[in-house]
Amino acid sequence: MRSSFDKLISWTGIVVAVVLLFAGGLLVWASSFATQNVHDQLKAQQITMPAAEALTTPAQKAALGQYAGQDLTTGAQAKAYADEYIQVHMDEASGGKTYSQISGEFMAANKTAPDAPATAELGQLRQTLFMGTTLRGMLLNAYAFATLGTIAMWAAIAAFIGSAVLLTLSALGIRHAHKTEGVNAAAPAIERIPVTV
């Protein structure tokens, strides 16, 4: 009985280990796909990270200094550029207002004073914020996919380790089952002595 139970558990472990190997392979493929796709799409944009002298705030220097002058090709670079360069310039231009707020102001001004210079300035600022917000959103999407690729790689490593552990434990379980079978086969039968009252 013990031998059969050991075999059942061991073969279940082998099946789970094979599933983990398959899942690990898929996770490696997903990680590779996401990482390569992010790299290719960002490289095609031909964005160069700002030079060190263009970084004006301590936060910019901390986030972007390590990438100064490089081509923007990774998710981490995309996030740093979106948050510490594009967003900073948009906040400076708009006084911290969002595209939606400036757009609302422009539409209201366009109704009351469409030919006023202030309305034209708001229209230019609105266009600048629209382009900045759009580029920032695309860069942050690239960062999100790169992060998913990294998570997939760590999950693949965990799946491969789990598979190795299960295969090892299953092999030990099968070996133990065979030893138990040998002990049971070699054990002498216990003779029953009739009891008389």
Side-chain angles (χ1 to χ4, degrees):
M1 179 69 179
R2 175 61 191 254
S3 171
S4 299
F5 182 73
D6 285 348
K7 285 180 182 177
L8 174 66
I9 295 298
S10 298
W11 282 107
T12 302
I14 289 171
V15 169
V16 173
V18 169
V19 169
L20 284 175
L21 277 175
F22 182 71
L26 286 176
L27 287 165
V28 167
W29 174 81
S31 174
S32 175
F33 173 79
T35 303
Q36 190 62 49
N37 199 26
V38 165
H39 175 272
D40 293 347
Q41 294 301 318
L42 289 175
K43 189 162 183 65
Q45 298 304 313
Q46 298 181 358
I47 300 171
T48 302
M49 300 295 279
E53 53 272 10
L55 307 176
T56 55
T57 68
Q60 281 184 326
K61 290 176 183 174
L64 299 170
Q66 60 186 321
Y67 307 124
Q70 297 176 9
D71 291 339
L72 193 157
T73 58
T74 69
Q77 289 173 323
K79 183 175 184 346
Y81 189 78
D83 288 345
E84 299 300 336
Y85 196 72
I86 294 173
Q87 186 66 56
V88 167
H89 287 294
M90 288 187 343
D91 288 344
E92 285 174 2
S94 68
K97 292 181 180 178
T98 65
Y99 164 76
S100 178
Q101 291 170 318
I102 294 296
S103 183
E105 289 177 18
F106 169 74
M107 289 192 297
N110 201 33
K111 286 180 182 177
T112 58
D115 297 328
T119 303
E121 286 178 20
L122 274 175
Q124 287 295 323
L125 180 57
R126 176 184 183 225
Q127 183 66 18
T128 299
L129 292 179
F130 177 77
M131 290 187 297
T133 301
T134 301
L135 177 57
R136 187 167 180 272
M138 288 187 289
L139 290 172
L140 291 175
N141 277 335
Y143 166 70
F145 275 99
T147 301
L148 290 175
T150 301
I151 292 168
M153 182 54 74
W154 282 110
I157 290 168
F160 289 139
I161 290 171
S163 179
V165 168
L166 280 173
L167 284 173
T168 301
L169 292 175
S170 296
L172 291 172
I174 289 173
R175 192 173 108 194
H176 183 263
H178 287 302
K179 281 185 180 179
T180 305
E181 280 178 350
V183 168
N184 289 342
I190 298 173
E191 188 177 325
R192 294 190 178 200
I193 301 172
V195 178
T196 56
V197 182

